[in-house]
Amino acid sequence: MSTQPEARRRSRRQETRLWRVPVTRVERVTPHMARVTVAHESLASLAGASTDQNVMLYLYPEGTELPEPLTLESARGLWAHTRPLTRTYTIRRHDPVANEVDFDFVLHGDAGPASAWASRVQPGDEMIFVGPSPAYQPDPAADWYLLAGDETAIPAIAAILATVPQDKQVLAYIEVADAAEEQPVDGVTWLHRDGAPAGQNTVLVDAIRAADLPEGLPEVWMAGERSAMLAVRAHLLDDRGYPRQRVRPTTYWRLGESGN
Ligand SMILES: Cc1cc2nc3c(=O)[nH]c(=O)nc-3n(C[C@H](O)[C@H](O)[C@H](O)COP(=O)(O)OP(=O)(O)OC[C@H]3O[C@@H](n4cnc5c(N)ncnc54)[C@H](O)[C@@H]3O)c2cc1C
């Protein structure tokens, strides 16, 4: 028998399912960020997306004959001979009236199948994904919030900024290639690599190290390249003395490694 808190936790979870929906719009929001919009009546049952809710993009080899209907079960039935490549992406915006969902894809080159897909996808193509994941819920007991990441975390940080309690201070640091990659998200301190390669710089940790952070105990949400996450986490635990359970880093990608 489930306890009440377990039941409450589960009720916040949304059923995981496979979505096969048409791409209706593709936009370059910045030189290296593609916004892919999908729209379909089935998205009405994608319950209110929030904070860092993400999905697993399924990329099948070209020409794969997919079963109809394509569901989680029928996709698994194919696994013996065809498995999709999977990559994780965050829901940037969900409009439950228009049944539209936006995803922001960092275009980091054709070595990444998801990045290559997003650089070529056109309206009329289809997007297949599985999800959504549960969402991060900011702890209302925190004195203030620290959000940090690179451009892959822009969708999550933008959504978290809209969710954290309005009476609390929030600091958000996002590392991007340069000023052209900034997006209109209120409350973000943008950090520029200015020529330093993604995943091989100390821009994020240097900014947080130099920051005059508020008093009290924050909750820290951060996501990005693994070595940057480890560096920021080490600084926050070792130099700032924040408790481990208040610091939540997520590796979104690893330099030199495919997939996540
Ligand atoms: C929960 C979660 C949510 C995420 N949300 C988003 C999102 O909303 N938008 C988004 O763009 N990404 C997001 N990511 C990150 C994204 O899944 C990874 O960047 C993924 O590796 C991209 O897949 P790919 O096929 O393009 O490249 P891969 O095949 O995985 O990697 C190929 C090469 O590219 C490098 N690489 C991977 N990502 C980057 C990058 N961003 N910049 C530079 N080099 C890179 C790898 O190190 C590897 O050498 C998220 C990841 C997680 C875990």
Side-chain angles (χ1 to χ4, degrees):
M1 197 172 69
S2 64
T3 64
Q4 271 201 348
E6 275 169 356
R8 244 184 281 127
R9 250 201 314 277
R10 243 184 274 124
S11 70
R12 284 202 300 262
R13 273 174 171 263
Q14 208 191 325
E15 186 203 350
T16 297
R17 56 163 283 194
L18 183 146
W19 313 79
R20 185 181 191 181
V21 288
V23 170
T24 51
R25 221 166 35 242
V26 182
E27 190 192 344
R28 281 288 165 98
V29 280
T30 62
H32 293 101
M33 187 72 90
R35 179 160 298 156
V36 177
T37 303
V38 292
H40 192 258
E41 60 196 15
S42 64
L43 294 167
S45 52
L46 184 81
S50 60
T51 66
D52 62 341
Q53 225 168 6
N54 52 75
V55 304
M56 190 82 88
L57 173 71
Y58 273 30
L59 296 171
Y60 284 98
E62 205 155 328
T64 304
E65 279 199 26
L66 297 173
E68 282 286 354
L70 186 66
T71 61
L72 216 41
E73 293 68 35
S74 67
R76 281 187 185 140
L78 277 185
W79 278 9
H81 51 94
T82 309
R83 271 193 186 231
L85 277 176
T86 59
R87 299 288 187 269
T88 312
Y89 284 85
T90 307
I91 295 172
R92 176 71 167 91
R93 180 189 67 101
H94 174 220
D95 179 341
V97 177
N99 292 328
E100 277 189 355
V101 178
D102 290 345
F103 297 94
D104 278 4
F105 286 76
V106 175
L107 302 177
H108 59 88
D110 279 359
S115 170
W117 178 84
S119 69
R120 293 188 182 83
V121 69
Q122 295 186 346
D125 293 346
E126 66 181 11
M127 181 168 170
I128 300 172
F129 57 90
V130 168
S133 70
Y136 158 63
Q137 296 184 324
D139 178 357
D143 294 321
W144 61 282
Y145 302 91
L146 175 61
L147 312 176
D150 61 27
E151 53 271 72
T152 59
I154 294 175
I157 291 178
I160 295 168
L161 279 168
T163 307
V164 285
Q166 296 298 305
D167 57 335
K168 299 279 175 72
Q169 191 171 0
V170 190
L171 297 183
Y173 293 89
I174 304 183
E175 169 204 319
V176 291
D178 52 36
E181 294 299 329
E182 294 182 10
Q183 292 191 25
V185 181
D186 285 346
V188 171
T189 300
W190 296 96
L191 310 169
H192 301 158
R193 289 192 291 273
D194 282 333
Q200 297 176 73
N201 65 80
T202 55
V203 168
L204 191 61
V205 70
D206 289 348
I208 293 173
R209 203 187 289 279
D212 188 9
L213 298 181
E215 295 291 310
L217 270 191
E219 183 169 67
V220 183
W221 183 100
M222 56 183 180
E225 201 280 326
R226 180 175 158 79
S227 60
M229 293 301 99
L230 291 176
V232 176
R233 180 174 176 273
H235 163 64
L236 295 176
L237 299 187
D238 302 344
D239 305 333
R240 303 264 183 187
Y242 297 156
R244 196 169 294 268
Q245 65 275 17
R246 291 295 192 128
V247 179
R248 301 156 161 258
T250 305
T251 293
Y252 268 14
W253 61 284
R254 286 175 193 230
L255 185 69
E257 288 183 28
S258 265
N260 48 41

